[in-house]
Every structure is written in C-alpha cells, then in structure tokens.
Amino acid sequence: MYPLRVSAISFLNTAPLMWDFEHAKHPEFEIDYTVPSKCAQALADGRADIGLIPAAEYAVIPGLRIVPDVAIAAKGAVRSILLISKTPIEDARSIAVDTSSRTSVALTQVLLEKKFGGKRPMAPMAPLLKPMLREHDAALLIGDPALLCQPLGCKVYDLAHEWRTLTGKPFVFAFWAVREAKLGAIPAERLAQTFQRSRDHGLSRIDEIVTQWTSRIQLSADVIRTYLTQNINYFLDEDNLAGLELFYRYAHDCGAIPKPPGLRFI
C-alpha cells in the first residue's frame, strides 16, 4: 500500500507546502514534481494517489476528495497569474495562454466574459512572452514565468486582483486532492494533519525558504518574501471556500467546466 504517490507542483508558491516532505522523513509518500496540469493528469490517470491540483481540475476528475484547510489562494493580487496585453484587454482580439493550469485559463474565460467585453479566441502556447505577443494581442502567464517576466510597455492585469474587484471574494488556485480509492491507506485525520503540518512548518521557516530560492530564481529576497507572505494565502478558510464555489458557478456559466462540483473532503 505504501508509498502513496504524491504529484506536486514545481513553482515557488508551493515551497511552504512541501517543507516537511523535503526536510523530514516521510517514507509513506513518494514525491514527483511537475507543472499543475500534468499533476492533475497524473491523478486522473491513476499514476498518482494525491495531487496538488488546479481547482478547475477537481470539477472534471471523478472520485476525488479534498484535503481540508490547505490551498494556494490569494486574498488580493497574486503577482504570478498575469494577463499581459499590448492594448487595453477589452480591445485584444486573441490571447495566447500558458496551459500549465486549467484554473487560470478558466479564470481568464470568466473575466473576459463578465468583465472585459466578452469571449475571445485563446491559443495554447509555451510560456514565452515575446513569441506569445508576437502572434497574439495578449498573453496569459502562470507561476514562475509570470513572476520573472518583464512586460515593458504592456498593460498588466493581475487575475486574482481582477477577480476580487469583480466578486469581492478571494480566489483559490489549487489544493491537495486524494483519490477516494486510496483513503484507507492512511487514516483521514492523520493524512490531513500531515499536509497541514507541512504547510505550518513551511510558513514558520519563510526566511530559510527565501534563502534557498534566491539561488534558484532571479528574484530578490524581498520580492520572494513578500510573495510568499502577502500575495499567497495557504488556507481553505470560509472566505476562500466561498470564492471557490463562486468560481465554479461562473466557470460553468462560461462553459469552462461541465458543472459546479460539490466540495467533498477527506
């Protein structure tokens, strides 16, 4: 039954969540790092038992349960989910999208239809800003490529901020999900506590994480610290859950997901 296969995301914003898995012995888990979309696909295909999945994937992958109170969310601006446009976004004719996260693409659809003048064609492309804007009027960048981009002369829209101004609610980008067939491998309470404790330990060691990441990514220590402590929220509290459920309703309205899913926890 062991180890449980865990598919995790290789972005800066996941560093606090992964603290215990990288700094303590957890022989009951085997970790594999990838991008959000591939993380969700591994869970859907049965190649992973637990995954840190984009919120929209929960609506299309059957047989999942959510680990309570752990998320990657934003109460305001997130800084790492950016829509970058050569014109005001209302005038953009087409958008290149990094498909690393189905949630960010779905959020773009929602904001286009409910705030920015209606649906536009969206074309999947590698997350390279110059080629994206060479072929299209706007580009969606996600995660570390968004943090590192230099969109000189462009309009920049932080999608979590735009969601907040539209709805008054925070936005949940991702959370841990477990395949129901694996729930018996570890008692549910112990499983939830393992992921919650790892998050708590990571948040108590932000200075160490900042030091580690300044050698991995071309961002200053102050930018990394601010991003992890002020832009990203790591909890599935009541307010975040309300934002998540509203996103599912709006995404369904826009045809981005088949139907709003019920939230089922371990």
Side-chain angles (χ1 to χ4, degrees), residues 3-240:
L4 291 176
R5 299 161 299 171
V6 178
S7 187
I9 299 169
S10 55
F11 287 158
L12 168 62
N13 58 20
T14 67
L17 298 184
M18 302 307 300
W19 181 268
D20 280 3
F21 300 100
E22 295 182 352
H23 295 86
K25 291 182 179 179
H26 275 291
E28 67 270 40
F29 299 105
E30 180 182 275
I31 310 297
D32 178 56
Y33 286 96
T34 184
V35 297
S37 58
K38 291 184 179 179
C39 179
Q41 192 60 52
L43 203 60
D45 294 343
R47 291 180 287 110
D49 305 312
I50 303 169
L52 185 58
I53 64 169
E57 300 287 359
Y58 178 74
V60 297
I61 301 174
L64 298 182
R65 294 290 186 101
I66 301 169
V67 174
D69 196 36
V70 185
I72 294 176
K75 300 286 190 181
V78 70
R79 296 181 68 175
S80 56
I81 312 292
L82 301 180
L83 189 56
I84 300 163
S85 182
K86 294 183 289 189
T87 69
I89 194 60
E90 293 83 356
D91 299 330
R93 294 163 296 179
S94 65
I95 300 168
V97 295
D98 173 4
T99 56
S100 295
S101 169
R102 182 188 180 104
T103 297
S104 299
V105 175
L107 177 57
T108 302
Q109 290 180 251
V110 167
L111 290 171
L112 286 173
E113 294 198 27
K114 294 189 176 290
K115 188 174 184 180
F116 293 138
K119 185 181 296 185
R120 253 65 56 82
M122 295 195 294
M125 288 188 68
L128 300 169
L129 186 59
K130 286 184 179 180
M132 294 170 101
L133 292 181
R134 200 160 42 234
E135 297 184 31
H136 300 275
D137 293 328
L140 171 66
L141 287 180
I142 298 163
D144 294 354
L147 287 170
L148 292 166
C149 75
Q150 297 180 329
L152 299 177
C154 293
K155 306 287 186 182
V156 180
Y157 302 84
D158 184 300
L159 294 196
H161 170 75
E162 299 298 339
W163 169 262
R164 186 88 199 197
T165 61
L166 174 67
T167 67
K169 298 193 180 299
F171 194 83
V172 175
F173 289 97
F175 47 74
W176 289 111
V178 184
R179 292 174 60 216
E180 288 181 338
K182 290 294 181 176
L183 283 178
I186 297 176
E189 183 177 0
R190 178 183 157 203
L191 185 64
Q193 288 174 350
T194 297
F195 287 90
Q196 292 162 1
R197 278 197 300 264
S198 183
R199 181 267 323 275
D200 294 343
H201 293 161
L203 290 177
S204 72
R205 292 166 171 83
I206 289 296
D207 286 344
E208 293 174 59
I209 292 174
V210 170
T211 298
Q212 291 171 1
W213 275 84
T214 51
S215 64
R216 300 182 192 177
I217 193 168
Q218 291 182 329
L219 295 171
S220 71
D222 286 343
V223 168
I224 294 173
R225 182 177 291 103
T226 299
Y227 176 63
L228 295 177
T229 59
Q230 298 182 30
N231 296 115
I232 304 295
N233 180 272
Y234 290 99
F235 298 84
L236 261 181
D237 58 26
E238 184 176 345
D239 198 25
N240 286 354

